[in-house]
Amino acid sequence: MNTNQNKAVEFEDLGIKEYQPAWDYQEQLMKNIIDTKIKNRDLPAEQHSITPNHLLFVEHPHVYTLGKSGHEENMLAGIDKLKEIEATFVKVNRGGDITYHGYGQVVGYPILDLENFFTDIHLYMRNLEEVIIRTIAEYGIKGERSPGETGVWLDVGKPYARKMCAMGVKASRWVTLHGFALNVNTDMRYFEYIIPCGIKDKQVTSLKRELERELTPEEMEELKAKIRKHFADVFQSELIYK
């Protein structure tokens, strides 16, 4: 356990950014943290450098991503259809199956050294879910966990259960990568070209669909502020704005 825990989290909103450059940026931040941890191993505790933590927000142009344990048959659109709908397809090194990212989504990538918090991936995932559950509760929406199915769901156990927020995470040396995708003003037609997360009998939804109205740009910024607040509360951290 890190005896020099740092619970400050540097926040950065990347705006609209293609998936691959955002992924590369995440991996560089992760590498920097891991490099620091490796150097610390050869030093006495009093000389250890603190490891930073990061939280990135981003909005991706249309892209489908497939986790390393996923199944390509859950991608229903071929190359021609992807071109037609102006979407790309990327294989990634996170857990989970296939998911969609696109305009109108709030995508959050926490790159945390969990030794600054707790060394428990299961708890980390439940905490991420809790952040979103608390956030959408402010809009009168009851988010829930679905046993064995990561993410935030509505009406769990009912025939019309649906997922509002997908999650996929990788960790190396207790440093996290990837994160969550909350559907807000998302064009839900893009989910018709995949079997989301490989789950055939469940639907997906968005804040727009549940509220029956689109969030304005100002309301989108307010939503992001709510996510940041709940993230800081749940992880007992302080967000530092870059």
Side-chain angles (χ1 to χ4, degrees), residues 7-229:
K7 292 198 174 185
V9 178
E10 296 180 19
F11 171 76
E12 192 174 356
D13 193 329
L14 303 180
I16 295 174
K17 198 174 188 69
E18 291 283 352
Y19 187 83
Q20 190 65 51
W23 181 10
D24 293 343
Y25 184 46
Q26 284 186 77
E27 291 210 308
Q28 185 58 54
L29 293 175
M30 180 191 218
K31 181 180 183 299
N32 293 345
I33 296 171
I34 289 175
D35 286 350
T36 299
K37 296 180 79 164
I38 290 172
K39 287 178 184 175
N40 282 346
R41 283 190 318 195
D42 299 324
L43 296 170
E46 63 272 14
Q47 293 179 28
H48 282 190
S49 298
I50 64 166
T51 50
N53 308 289
H54 304 272
L55 174 62
L56 309 177
F57 280 0
V58 65
E59 192 174 353
H60 293 304
H62 306 298
V63 60
Y64 297 99
T65 70
L66 182 70
K68 61 183 184 297
S69 58
H71 302 279
E72 281 200 47
E73 58 267 29
N74 291 326
M75 177 75 245
L76 305 179
I79 294 173
D80 291 341
K81 174 56 74 173
L82 287 173
K83 286 182 181 176
E84 180 187 325
I85 62 177
E86 299 182 331
T88 54
F89 175 70
V90 182
K91 292 182 179 180
V92 295
N93 62 351
R94 59 163 171 78
D97 208 287
I98 196 161
T99 193
Y100 160 77
H101 297 311
Y103 301 109
Q105 248 182 9
V106 177
V107 176
Y109 294 132
I111 301 101
L112 309 181
D113 178 3
L114 289 183
E115 289 193 289
N116 284 325
F117 299 89
F118 45 75
T119 48
D120 185 331
I121 293 295
H122 179 80
L123 176 59
Y124 173 67
M125 297 302 297
R126 303 296 78 78
N127 275 8
L128 274 190
E129 290 166 347
E130 184 65 22
V131 170
I132 301 303
I133 288 169
R134 292 186 187 187
T135 299
I136 64 176
E138 296 203 43
Y139 297 86
I141 297 171
K142 186 175 186 287
E144 300 176 284
R145 296 176 179 86
S146 181
E149 297 172 335
T150 304
V152 176
W153 299 76
L154 311 185
D155 292 309
V156 170
K158 297 177 181 175
Y160 45 90
R162 54 217 183 275
K163 179 185 274 190
M164 181 176 280
C165 184
M167 294 183 182
V169 166
K170 178 195 176 189
S172 177
R173 297 180 188 266
W174 295 113
V175 182
T176 64
L177 199 66
H178 303 291
F180 64 83
L182 175 63
N183 296 323
V184 186
N185 289 334
T186 315
D187 184 344
M188 304 306 287
R189 290 175 297 179
Y190 278 81
F191 285 97
E192 295 171 7
Y193 303 109
I194 60 172
I195 300 172
C197 303
I199 303 170
K200 295 181 181 179
D201 60 341
K202 300 284 177 67
Q203 300 301 310
V204 288
T205 190
S206 65
L207 209 55
K208 174 184 175 180
R209 181 173 285 181
E210 298 301 320
L211 297 177
E212 299 183 336
R213 68 177 184 84
E214 189 163 299
L215 269 67
T216 65
E218 294 77 16
E219 287 175 316
M220 185 68 96
E221 291 307 311
E222 289 172 4
L223 170 68
K224 290 179 181 180
K226 293 178 194 300
I227 296 172
R228 291 194 298 268
K229 175 189 179 297

